[in-house]
Amino acid sequence: MLSSTQLATMLALQDAMNTKVNPQWLSAGYSYLRAALIESVEAIDHHGWKWWKAQNCDLAQVQMELVDIWHFALSHIIIAHDGDIPKAAKEIEVELQHLNPIIVFDGVTFDVSTNTLVENLELMAGLCVVKRFDMPLFVTIVEQAQMTPTMLFEQYVGKNILNFFRQDHGYKEGSYNKVWQGREDNEHLVEIMAQTNSTTQDYADVLYKALEKRYLAK
């Protein structure tokens, strides 16, 4: 289960990134669950669902889509709590402590604990259409995709920090070079993450500073 510190870190990072894109993002009317809907469908595609052709499940890509969905879900939750990060964190923490596998949608009762991964992704997409995000469902999907809470946290923070780093070093202006010391920046990030304890309270700052140190030494 995600800790209160991890939740607070991710919510703060999401708020900061959204603010960087648009300082008025809370009132901009962006449909974050529409974005989560699209990512859910893409996850289904990466898993494979076509019965008329041979397909291989690309679990790594499914996991990446789940990290993207989590970005949009956190944004939706922050808006629902009027930008109050501590309140949003507490609400998620309470939901994680009382995971109910039963969902009633369109008059039909679903037990997410008995659904397949694809069925649950499909259900999440349907809920997103009507602007619902179900925490127990998402947690179940994450587990079915063979991700631990720590993996979700680390991948989320890593992707968020890399986006921040790129923006801060000229990505939007076109002056940022993603390749330094002969490797792409995401490769540097993976190596740094492997060497960093994600339980530290300033995990995000540690990743950013380590990236910057390597970048400036290029």
Side-chain angles (χ1 to χ4, degrees):
M1 185 179 296
L2 293 166
S3 70
S4 56
T5 298
Q6 289 173 326
L7 289 171
T9 296
M10 290 188 288
L11 286 162
L13 284 172
Q14 193 61 51
D15 180 46
M17 176 53 73
N18 291 352
T19 300
K20 197 175 188 69
V21 173
N22 179 2
Q24 306 302 320
W25 75 274
L26 283 169
S27 58
Y30 299 142
S31 183
Y32 288 102
L33 289 190
R34 181 186 300 143
L37 158 66
I38 301 303
E39 301 292 351
S40 300
V41 173
E42 290 180 0
I44 292 173
D45 215 32
H46 288 306
H47 180 282
W49 60 275
K50 298 174 182 177
W51 60 88
W52 61 88
K53 62 180 291 188
Q55 290 186 290
N56 294 316
C57 175
D58 190 339
L59 202 57
Q61 285 295 325
V62 172
Q63 293 174 351
M64 288 179 64
E65 300 297 349
L66 293 180
V67 174
D68 287 341
I69 290 168
W70 191 231
H71 279 79
F72 298 126
L74 290 177
S75 299
H76 173 76
I77 292 168
I78 293 171
I79 291 173
H81 290 85
D82 300 317
D84 189 329
I85 301 298
K87 187 177 178 181
K90 186 62 179 177
E91 177 66 25
I92 296 174
E93 193 172 359
V94 170
E95 286 191 65
L96 291 175
Q97 291 171 352
H98 302 88
L99 297 176
N100 182 1
I102 304 301
I103 295 175
V104 178
F105 176 50
D106 198 25
V108 180
T109 300
F110 299 88
D111 184 344
V112 304
S113 66
T114 61
N115 278 355
T116 65
L117 173 54
V118 169
E119 288 170 340
N120 278 333
L121 285 167
E122 189 175 54
L123 178 57
M124 182 162 63
L127 290 172
C128 286
V129 171
V130 294
K131 310 307 178 189
R132 286 175 59 185
F133 183 80
D134 189 89
M135 192 64 66
L137 172 59
F138 182 74
V139 169
T140 300
I141 291 171
V142 167
E143 292 174 350
Q144 289 177 317
Q146 298 178 28
M147 291 184 79
T148 64
T150 297
M151 288 171 64
L152 177 64
F153 173 72
E154 290 177 349
Q155 290 189 37
Y156 170 87
V157 173
K159 186 166 187 177
N160 195 294
I161 288 301
L162 184 58
N163 287 339
F164 262 113
F165 185 82
R166 287 171 173 173
Q167 291 296 329
D168 290 344
H169 292 81
Y171 192 72
K172 186 176 181 180
E173 295 77 15
S175 59
Y176 177 71
N177 186 355
K178 290 201 296 185
V179 178
W180 16 290
Q181 298 177 18
R183 291 183 294 169
E184 286 196 7
D185 53 9
N186 60 334
E187 295 179 73
H188 286 284
L189 176 64
V190 169
E191 188 171 276
I192 291 169
M193 289 173 64
Q195 300 169 351
T196 307
N197 184 354
S198 65
T199 62
T200 181
Q201 193 161 0
D202 57 348
Y203 178 59
D205 290 336
V206 171
L207 293 183
Y208 188 98
K209 289 175 182 176
L211 275 173
E212 191 163 54
K213 183 178 180 180
R214 290 193 181 200
Y215 184 68
L216 294 176
K218 71 182 189 297

